[in-house]
Amino acid sequence: METFDVVVIGAGLAGLQTALLLGQRGYKILLVDQKPSLDQAIHTTGIFVRRTLEDFPLPEDCLGPAVRHVRLYSPARRSIDLTSPYDEFRVGRMGRLYRRMLNNCILAGVEWMPATR
C-alpha cells in the first residue's frame, strides 16, 4: 500500500493551492476529488477581488477584464450587487484555472486521483 504525507480531499481552489504548496515543499501529496474532470460541474462564482489577485499569482489568461460592478445570483435566483469605484473585480475562467493549477500540482509531484470518493 502506498503512503502519503498528506491527503487533500477536494480539488477546488483551496485544495489545489494547498496541494501545490505542500508538493513544492517536498511532501508526498495525494489530491483526490469526486469529479472525473475539474472543468465539469463548477460551482464557484469565480469572482476575484483585487486583494486576492495581489496575494495569489493567478495567470492572466485565466482571468477576464477588470470590472467595477458584478451581480451575483443565488440558486434561488436572488441577486446581490457588488460595486466599487475602482476596477476591483475580475471574473475567473474557472475550468481553465483549475486545469492550470492541477497541472502545476502534478509538476510539483502531487499524485492526482480523480473520480474518487
Side-chain angles (χ1 to χ4, degrees), residues 46-61:
I47 304 296
F48 296 101
V49 295
R50 183 173 27 92
R51 178 62 194 233
T52 302
L53 299 171
E54 292 169 358
D55 290 342
F56 296 96
L58 299 178
E60 272 298 313
D61 67 323

